[in-house]
Amino acid sequence: MKRYGMVIDTLKCIGCGDCVVACKTENKVPEGLCRDWIVEEVKGEYPHLQMEYRSERCNHCLHPLCVYACPTGASHIKKGTNITLVHPELCTGCKACIAACPYDARFVMPQGYVSKCTFCDHRLEKGQLPACVSVCPTHCMYFGDLNDPLSEVSQLLKRRKWKVLAPEAGTKPQVYYLT
Ligand code: SF4
Ligand code: SF4
Ligand code: SF4
């Protein structure tokens, strides 16, 4: 099984938003909606303050509460991976998955079905990196298989300090932030 993960270096991210623009373009995300977004957080205590920029999206959790909550099977895990996806034709727009996700990663499309980051599954199938990863001007985003101990993402998590968002939610998120 592939355990796809994204590793984002918060020390290199400048909050430029190119990842957000790339995702909108690649995935034709309608105006006013987004699959990824930038969070700005002030860390530390005066006078030693530091600004952390984080590019956030669906965490493709190993325990996806969204999938467990979905009554129709529209929200599902792609076989052989941890990528969580939505079958639009099975989605009734009930929003149970939106309520279940601790990361606010999902939204309703104008057509009435729920959508979110797919880890650019369509690009992975062609051997390409996710659009957001491929455009980052500071190269602060990495993507790969965390079940492969030799992958760049595995090596980075071995070498560097990292965190995940809301670990207390118990979802086992697979987007990691180097700190
Ligand atoms: Fe589901 Fe939310 Fe986890 Fe994505 S971040 S897999 S939408 S629970
Ligand atoms: Fe499932 Fe769609 Fe309801 Fe979400 S909104 S729980 S994907 S049927
Ligand atoms: Fe958007 Fe693809 Fe990046 Fe997910 S992996 S935020 S869908 S560009």
Side-chain angles (χ1 to χ4, degrees):
M1 175 186 151
K2 299 249 190 236
R3 177 160 66 96
Y4 286 120
M6 201 175 272
V7 175
I8 303 176
D9 191 343
T10 62
L11 301 183
K12 285 205 286 183
C13 178
I14 54 170
C16 68
D18 280 7
C19 50
V20 178
V21 175
C23 179
K24 272 181 139 346
T25 309
E26 173 76 23
N27 297 298
K28 301 181 179 57
V29 183
E31 196 58 40
L33 300 170
C34 53
R35 292 183 178 194
D36 59 349
W37 59 92
I38 306 292
V39 170
E40 296 179 16
E41 197 174 295
V42 179
K43 295 198 319 185
E45 277 176 34
Y46 182 82
H48 305 292
L49 296 174
Q50 202 188 336
M51 180 70 94
E52 178 175 288
Y53 295 104
R54 280 197 311 271
S55 174
E56 296 189 2
R57 62 193 41 62
C58 166
N59 288 272
H60 297 274
C61 307
L62 298 185
H63 292 314
L65 301 181
C66 53
V67 172
Y68 304 157
C70 177
T72 69
S75 282
H76 64 284
I77 304 168
K78 183 174 175 172
K79 213 171 166 215
T81 76
N82 57 306
I83 296 178
T84 56
L85 299 172
V86 180
H87 288 305
E89 68 281 7
L90 293 180
C91 178
T92 60
C94 73
K95 302 186 189 164
C97 57
I98 292 179
C101 173
Y103 304 98
D104 209 8
R106 297 174 158 244
F107 54 88
V108 182
M109 290 286 279
Q111 298 89 335
Y113 62 86
V114 160
S115 183
K116 66 169 193 71
C117 163
T118 57
F119 264 176
C120 279
D121 184 47
H122 63 292
R123 288 175 60 95
L124 302 184
E125 281 182 358
K126 292 188 273 184
Q128 298 171 334
L129 285 170
C132 53
V133 174
S134 72
V135 300
C136 177
T138 67
H139 304 290
C140 74
M141 303 168 79
Y142 305 83
F143 185 86
D145 181 8
L146 288 163
N147 278 346
D148 173 1
L150 298 179
S151 66
E152 192 176 26
V153 279
S154 294
Q155 293 289 321
L156 278 166
L157 296 188
K158 244 185 243 163
R159 278 204 316 272
R160 296 272 305 270
K161 279 206 294 187
W162 53 265
K163 67 178 177 185
V164 292
L165 301 179
E168 67 282 1
T171 58
K172 292 199 183 297
Q174 297 303 304
V175 176
Y176 295 79
Y177 294 93
L178 302 178
T179 58

